């Protein structure tokens, strides 16, 4: 079948091809598949696709894959998706990746995750992300993470956030950090918190803050500390201000 003619193959006909039949299609033929055809590709078929065939699919075709078909890709196939293909993944596709699938993505792929995609990440997924993958996310992607997704980070993951990512955290994200989470931040990270972020620090968070962290708050940001949060500081904490 010519590359021009493959576009005429019905989605039903494509879906019934067994692995041997499916895998004889060339990269040029895969590149011609449209969204309707890609939507008919089964998980059995995607599981046996070569990395070059996957990379040949258009961004529209990748986005049309069912969540089952995408989840069938293994840790060797997923890192070979192009950054354009990753950026085109739907939120349903992203949220249905299991933790091992997500961790198979490269830092370059994580770097192109959009805000909408980041917002779809679950706490089960973020809890298993590597520090390199987390630090690769754009500031806007980190800002889009749900409070549950942020709360799932452990101390090593939180300490791996870049200062640009910390500055981008929303007040809801900061306010929902546990005392252990807040204490996991480095003094360099604390030093970039804004007055708006400091303003949502709870009395429980303030009470548990290390003296080094309190001392690292900038003079501009300290103005945001609430009177209630200030009142719970003990003498050692208060005197480092």
């Amino acid at each position: 079948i010519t590359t021009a003619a493959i576009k005429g193959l019905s989605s039903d006909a494509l879906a019934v091809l067994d692995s041997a039949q499916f895998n004889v299609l060339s990269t040029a033929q895969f590149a011609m598949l449209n969204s309707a055809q890609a939507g008919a590709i089964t998980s059995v078929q995607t599981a046996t696709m070569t990395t070059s065939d996957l990379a040949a699919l258009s961004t529209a075709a990748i986005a049309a894959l069912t969540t089952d078909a995408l989840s069938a890709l293994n840790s060797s196939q997923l890192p070979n998706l192009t950054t354009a293909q990753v950026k085109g993944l739907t939120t349903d596709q992203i949220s249905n990746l299991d933790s091992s699938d997500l961790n198979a993505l490269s830092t370059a792929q994580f770097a192109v995750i959009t805000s909408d995609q980041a917002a779809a990440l679950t706490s089960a997924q973020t809890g298993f992300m590597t520090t390199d993958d987390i630090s690769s996310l754009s500031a806007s992607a980190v800002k889009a993470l749900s409070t549950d997704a942020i709360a799932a980070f452990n101390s090593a993951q939180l300490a791996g956030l870049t200062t640009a990512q910390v500055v981008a955290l929303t007040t809801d994200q900061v306010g929902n950090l546990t005392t252990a989470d807040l204490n996991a931040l480095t003094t360099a990270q604390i030093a970039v918190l804004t007055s708006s972020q400091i303003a949502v620090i709870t009395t429980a968070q303030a009470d548990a803050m290390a003296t080094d962290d309190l001392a690292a708050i900038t003079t501009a940001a300290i103005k945001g500390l609430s009177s209630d949060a200030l009142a719970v500081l003990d003498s050692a904490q208060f005197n480092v201000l």
Side-chain angles (χ1 to χ4, degrees), residues 134-217:
I134 292 170
S135 63
S136 296
L137 292 172
S138 67
S140 59
V142 169
K143 184 177 182 178
L145 293 172
S146 69
T147 54
D148 286 343
I150 288 281
F153 287 152
N154 60 34
S155 57
Q157 291 171 310
L158 286 165
L161 291 172
T162 67
T163 53
Q165 290 172 326
V166 172
V167 170
L169 292 175
T170 68
T171 52
D172 281 345
Q173 289 171 326
V174 172
N176 277 280
L177 292 175
T178 65
T179 54
D181 288 338
L182 190 63
N183 281 332
L185 297 180
T186 65
T187 53
Q189 291 171 317
I190 294 290
V192 299
L193 291 176
T194 65
S195 58
S196 296
Q197 291 169 318
I198 293 294
V200 297
I201 288 179
T202 65
T203 53
Q205 289 172 322
D207 183 54
M209 285 187 75
T211 53
D212 285 349
D213 289 339
L214 284 165
I217 299 173

Side-chain angles (χ1 to χ4, degrees), residues 4-206:
I6 199 70
K7 292 186 294 184
L9 189 67
S10 73
S11 54
D12 288 340
L14 186 67
V16 298
L17 298 181
D18 62 28
S19 298
Q21 294 171 309
F22 188 74
N23 286 324
V24 295
L25 298 179
S26 67
T27 54
Q29 288 172 314
F30 275 111
M32 298 301 292
L33 296 182
N34 58 40
S35 299
Q37 291 170 316
I41 294 174
T42 68
S43 57
V44 173
Q45 292 171 326
T46 54
T48 60
M49 287 182 72
T50 67
T51 54
S52 57
D53 289 341
L54 274 170
L57 291 175
S58 67
T59 55
I62 287 286
L65 292 175
T66 66
T67 54
D68 285 344
L70 189 73
S71 296
L73 299 179
N74 61 40
S75 57
S76 296
Q77 293 168 308
L78 286 165
N80 284 284
L81 293 176
T82 68
T83 52
Q85 288 173 326
V86 171
K87 193 173 183 179
L89 293 175
T90 68
T91 54
D92 281 345
Q93 289 173 323
I94 290 287
S95 63
N96 276 280
L97 292 175
D98 63 30
S99 56
S100 60
D101 288 336
L102 191 70
N103 282 333
L105 298 180
S106 68
T107 53
Q109 290 171 316
F110 272 107
V112 298
I113 293 289
T114 67
S115 298
D116 287 342
Q117 291 172 323
L121 291 173
T122 67
S123 56
Q125 292 171 317
T126 56
F128 286 94
M129 288 177 67
T130 69
T131 53
D132 284 344
D133 291 340
I134 292 170
S135 63
S136 296
L137 292 172
S138 67
S140 59
V142 169
K143 184 177 182 178
L145 293 172
S146 69
T147 54
D148 286 343
I150 288 281
F153 287 152
N154 60 34
S155 57
Q157 291 171 310
L158 286 165
L161 291 172
T162 67
T163 53
Q165 290 172 326
V166 172
V167 170
L169 292 175
T170 68
T171 52
D172 281 345
Q173 289 171 326
V174 172
N176 277 280
L177 292 175
T178 65
T179 54
D181 288 338
L182 190 63
N183 281 332
L185 297 180
T186 65
T187 53
Q189 291 171 317
I190 294 290
V192 299
L193 291 176
T194 65
S195 58
S196 296
Q197 291 169 318
I198 293 294
V200 297
I201 288 179
T202 65
T203 53
Q205 289 172 322

